[in-house]
Amino acid sequence: MRPLARTAALNGYVELSRSLGLDPRALMKGVGLDTADLAVQDRWISGTAVVRLLELSAAASGREDFGLLLTERRRFSNLGPISLLVREEPDVRSALALLIRHQHTYNEVLHARLSEGNGVATLKVDLRLGEPQPARQGTELAVGAFHRVLCGFLGPHWRPSSVCFAHPAPRDTAGHRRLFGPSVEFDRDFNGIVFYAEDLDAPNAMADAQLRSYTRQYFEPIAAPREASEVDRVRDLIEALLPTGRCSIEQIARSLGVDRRTVHRHLARSGETFSSLLHSTRTALAEQFVANPNRSLTEVSTLLGFSSLSAFSRWFHEHFGTGPREWRKSRGGPAVPGGN
């Protein structure tokens, strides 16, 4: 199945896009995402869509350093619950080891590994998308995020021996050198960061040994594999595909890189079917969207994958016992003239 990413991967995206004269809502909609998703950092969305969004945004803005600009808006907390534990690790080595071991808990696209030899440490970072597609911006965002983590432990003026990218150099490397320092190399055989191994032994001044035991107790249940991960992935993809009008079992299977029978088999293990998940997901979203007076009912019908407002209204009445306009009004929201 194809990987997902937490919405926190796009932290600062809306603000950055607007500052560059872009329309973030239109760009996100073009890849099946919604700006409303970004309000919840721990929501999972298509990792492929995130990477595609970054490439489109870089092209639309004319900024080849778009991924790096987004990196500069990231915070340590964007890692999610694991950030609480990482902050309490005694040294850089254990902090990185923790981030790598549990990378699936904050980004399933990410594949990082650390190696040491001859006094040099090499942190290699790749994106695994399940299909070939341009990923320059996503790669630079990932490498930049790890660089910021290292600077958080080693100080803002810390500089690695080199930062390497497998793709060619951009026309202007000023943004790269501003963020990473002078030793940025392109057309290398890997993406990642090279630094002195002794930096791994640098102590974490923020760490509290007693607090570390508490954070580990808190994090371990979260880090455990999710029993219904297949169901969660299908549900997330349903949410992403509904607005496109292409939410079918065939499209879900293609997005996950499997055939439809495999999807049915995974869902059956949890007592679900594609139809039951589609219905429960659409119903939950309908309650959320219709309750929001800032969304027109025509917009809601599109977001839920209906071809027309009348089709949505009939479905809503069948499942809620009343029309969407009346349902909204009964909950204190204003009626929308003409269904809009």
Side-chain angles (χ1 to χ4, degrees):
M1 292 197 175
R2 295 184 180 174
L4 303 175
R6 292 171 63 251
T7 52
L10 291 175
N11 181 69
Y13 172 78
V14 170
E15 297 82 358
L16 174 59
S17 297
R18 287 176 175 165
S19 73
L20 297 175
L22 302 179
D23 181 349
R25 184 177 180 183
L27 284 165
M28 292 187 67
K29 186 176 182 180
V31 298
L33 299 177
D34 189 336
T35 52
D37 294 337
L38 304 186
V40 182
Q41 285 201 120
D42 289 318
R43 188 173 185 177
W44 289 86
I45 55 178
S46 166
T48 302
V50 170
V51 172
R52 192 159 62 246
L53 175 65
L54 297 179
E55 294 298 320
L56 290 173
S57 301
S61 63
R63 293 298 300 257
E64 291 184 283
D65 60 347
F66 189 90
L68 295 187
L69 293 175
L70 193 58
T71 296
E72 294 179 304
R73 294 171 179 261
R74 289 183 64 85
R75 295 174 294 179
F76 199 65
S77 59
N78 294 146
L79 291 169
I82 196 174
S83 64
L84 299 174
L85 187 55
V86 172
R87 287 176 65 91
E88 301 306 325
E89 289 300 293
D91 51 44
V92 177
R93 187 189 306 278
S94 57
L96 277 181
L98 191 71
L99 283 173
I100 293 171
R101 186 165 63 252
H102 295 294
Q103 54 195 316
H104 66 280
T105 67
Y106 56 92
N107 194 330
E108 293 179 343
V109 173
L110 191 64
H111 179 65
R113 59 270 191 214
L114 180 69
S115 61
E116 296 180 58
N118 299 319
V120 174
T122 303
L123 176 64
K124 294 184 178 181
V125 182
D126 291 315
L127 303 185
R128 294 188 171 179
L129 299 166
E131 64 181 50
Q133 71 172 70
R136 180 189 189 111
Q137 303 302 323
T139 298
E140 294 194 353
L141 173 61
V143 172
F146 271 108
H147 181 267
R148 286 182 71 84
V149 168
L150 288 167
C151 286
F153 285 102
L154 298 167
H157 301 298
W158 174 80
R159 288 289 182 265
S161 299
S162 61
V163 174
C164 304
F165 294 107
H167 49 253
R171 291 184 297 273
D172 184 357
T173 62
H176 295 75
R177 301 189 188 285
R178 183 185 69 252
L179 183 64
F180 300 122
S183 301
V184 183
E185 303 175 13
F186 297 90
D187 290 314
R188 292 290 303 272
D189 57 356
F190 70 95
N191 302 297
I193 304 171
V194 180
F195 54 101
Y196 292 117
E198 64 184 22
D199 289 337
L200 291 170
D201 299 318
N204 177 15
M206 300 181 293
D208 182 321
Q210 187 172 359
L211 187 58
R212 184 187 183 203
S213 63
Y214 288 120
T215 54
R216 280 191 175 276
Q217 290 176 28
Y218 166 74
F219 182 73
E220 283 175 1
I222 299 176
R226 293 177 293 175
E227 294 181 3
S229 60
E230 293 87 356
V231 172
D232 293 337
R233 289 186 178 193
V234 172
R235 183 182 290 111
D236 285 330
L237 284 169
I238 287 174
E239 288 192 29
L241 290 170
L242 275 175
T244 70
R246 296 182 289 106
C247 187
S248 64
I249 183 65
E250 290 79 13
Q251 184 61 47
I252 294 289
R254 282 195 293 271
S255 297
L256 295 173
V258 297
D259 58 41
R260 57 180 297 168
R261 288 175 296 179
T262 301
V263 176
H264 283 308
R265 188 167 63 252
H266 283 313
L267 296 181
R269 292 173 184 168
S270 299
E272 295 278 7
T273 65
F274 173 71
S275 296
S276 68
L277 270 185
L278 176 62
H279 173 69
S280 63
T281 302
R282 182 176 261 162
T283 300
L285 290 175
E287 291 190 55
Q288 174 188 335
F289 293 156
V290 176
N292 183 352
N294 295 319
R295 290 190 183 276
S296 72
L297 296 182
T298 299
E299 180 186 8
V300 171
S301 70
T302 299
L303 290 172
L304 294 178
F306 291 94
S307 58
S308 66
L309 177 58
S310 59
F312 164 61
S313 297
R314 287 194 298 272
W315 174 87
F316 193 95
H317 195 284
E318 178 182 349
H319 294 290
F320 288 86
T322 186
R325 193 185 310 176
E326 293 74 22
W327 190 89
R328 172 180 283 177
K329 188 175 181 180
S330 71
R331 280 155 179 75
V336 183
N340 290 308

